[in-house]
């Protein structure tokens, strides 16, 4: 079991007004799963992702990652977990325009003991994997949206994470680029990577094997995808 969550709660407090955002959610995620967390804006799905990825702490309940009680970890320990165990892919890409594509990908390794030559070797291999070996020296502002997201995927993989969190990864992309990104994520999952995808779009969520549906801070459904979308099939249809 990679993730085990029981009765997880999260409240936000503003001027002594308590707003419950997660109201006691329970689920498990096995290593190697591809799970979508789906819900409308304000449902609590992003808050759930922030807790699962060690960016935030719950107000109540328990969260175990690889058997470790996350609630007992210090801020420094949580930061170490993020750097070693997690890869992030964001809707807005979060790339540095003043740095090259290669420099953006190696960024998570800058404060590690990995040598510069090894960083570059890993980054170049990953950029080749996502079809961008010809863009190493480009700045991100010279890339298309789809290319930027593929750089972000390479960056997410550079530390060989246990789990990849993708927050609305196709939100800023056209349908063709979105299909390419989802194909890469499915290929990564096929190779054994655990992926948690956060989205409000049903068609995107159905690229996963399982969908956890969230509404008003509660899980309203947790089930396998009956007819899973395969990005490669969508691309063939467009040809």
């Amino acid at each position: 079991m990679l993730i085990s969550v029981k009765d997880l709660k999260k409240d936000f407090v503003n001027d002594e007004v308590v707003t419950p955002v997660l109201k006691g959610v329970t689920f498990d995620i096995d290593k190697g799963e591809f799970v979508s967390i789906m819900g409308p804006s304000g449902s609590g799905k992003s808050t759930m992702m922030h807790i699962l990825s060690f960016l935030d702490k719950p107000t109540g309940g328990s969260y175990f990652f690889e058997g470790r009680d996350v609630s007992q970890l210090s801020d420094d320990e949580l930061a170490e977990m993020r750097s070693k165990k997690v890869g992030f892919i964001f809707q807005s890409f979060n790339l540095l325009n003043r740095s090259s594509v290669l420099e953006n990908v190696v960024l998570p390794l800058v404060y590690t003991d990995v040598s510069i030559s090894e960083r570059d070797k890993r980054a170049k291999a990953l950029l080749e994997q996502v079809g961008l070996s010809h863009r190493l020296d480009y700045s991100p502002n010279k890339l298309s949206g789809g290319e930027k997201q593929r750089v972000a995927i390479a960056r997410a993989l550079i530390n060989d994470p246990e789990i990849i969190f993708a927050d609305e990864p196709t939100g800023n992309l056209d349908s063709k680029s979105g299909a390419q990104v989802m194909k890469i994520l499915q290929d990564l999952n096929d190779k054994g990577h655990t992926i948690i995808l956060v989205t409000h779009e049903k068609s995107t969520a159905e690229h996963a094997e399982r969908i956890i549906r969230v509404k008003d801070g509660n899980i309203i459904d947790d089930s396998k995808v009956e007819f899973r979308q395969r990005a490669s099939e969508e691309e063939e249809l467009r040809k």
Side-chain angles (χ1 to χ4, degrees):
M1 188 69 62
L2 184 66
I3 286 173
S4 183
V5 167
K6 290 184 174 62
D7 197 29
L8 198 71
K9 297 182 176 72
K10 179 65 181 181
D11 298 334
F12 288 116
V13 181
N14 186 18
D15 294 332
E16 299 184 0
V17 176
V18 178
T19 303
V21 178
L22 292 178
K23 301 173 182 176
V25 298
T26 298
F27 59 90
D28 297 327
I29 295 176
D30 287 327
K31 184 177 175 64
E33 276 199 90
F34 189 158
V35 179
S36 287
I37 299 174
M38 180 183 167
S41 179
S43 62
K45 64 184 187 297
S46 292
T47 298
M48 190 187 299
M49 188 200 77
H50 290 158
I51 293 172
L52 294 179
S53 60
F54 318 114
L55 289 167
D56 200 358
K57 294 181 178 180
T59 307
S62 65
Y63 170 27
F64 284 80
F65 184 88
E66 294 183 324
R68 295 183 70 185
D69 185 353
V70 175
S71 66
Q72 301 302 312
L73 301 180
S74 67
D75 288 344
D76 286 345
E77 288 172 322
L78 288 173
E80 185 178 7
M81 292 278 274
R82 282 197 303 274
S83 67
K84 292 184 176 179
K85 300 289 186 178
V86 176
F88 292 100
I89 304 166
F90 300 98
Q91 177 178 352
S92 55
F93 318 125
N94 288 10
L95 301 177
L96 302 176
N97 281 324
R98 293 187 178 181
S99 300
S100 70
V101 163
L102 184 65
E103 289 166 341
N104 270 277
V105 174
V106 302
L107 193 61
L109 297 179
V110 167
Y111 297 107
T112 69
D113 56 5
V114 179
S115 68
I116 293 175
S117 60
E118 177 62 21
R119 292 176 206 166
D120 286 354
K121 180 181 175 182
R122 286 192 204 176
K124 288 174 181 177
L126 287 167
L127 285 165
E128 183 174 359
Q129 186 177 330
V130 298
L132 289 175
S133 56
H134 59 302
R135 295 282 195 256
L136 301 183
D137 298 324
Y138 278 54
S139 62
N141 56 16
K142 294 181 179 178
L143 303 179
S144 68
E147 288 174 328
K148 289 178 183 178
Q149 197 58 291
R150 283 186 276 156
V151 173
I153 291 171
R155 180 185 60 193
L157 293 169
I158 193 74
N159 61 350
D160 193 23
E162 285 291 328
I163 188 166
I164 298 167
F165 289 92
D167 188 5
E168 301 279 7
T170 63
N172 285 335
L173 305 180
D174 59 56
S175 58
K176 182 179 178 182
S177 297
Q180 290 172 340
V181 165
M182 293 313 301
K183 183 180 186 307
I184 291 171
L185 292 179
Q186 287 182 326
D187 289 345
L188 290 170
N189 178 240
D190 290 342
K191 293 174 183 175
H193 287 276
T194 306
I195 296 176
I196 296 181
L197 169 71
V198 175
T199 183
H200 66 279
E201 295 179 343
K202 183 172 181 286
S203 60
T204 301
E206 288 176 343
H207 285 83
E209 303 163 309
R210 169 184 166 201
I211 300 177
I212 298 174
R213 288 180 169 83
V214 184
K215 185 178 180 181
D216 298 328
N218 295 298
I219 292 177
I220 58 171
D221 185 64
D222 182 352
S223 57
K224 294 286 186 181
V225 176
E226 189 173 356
F227 300 106
R228 188 182 182 193
Q229 299 248 22
R230 296 297 300 194
S232 55
E233 295 170 6
E234 293 172 11
E235 289 176 339
E236 288 298 323
L237 289 172
R238 289 195 179 94
K239 289 181 179 177

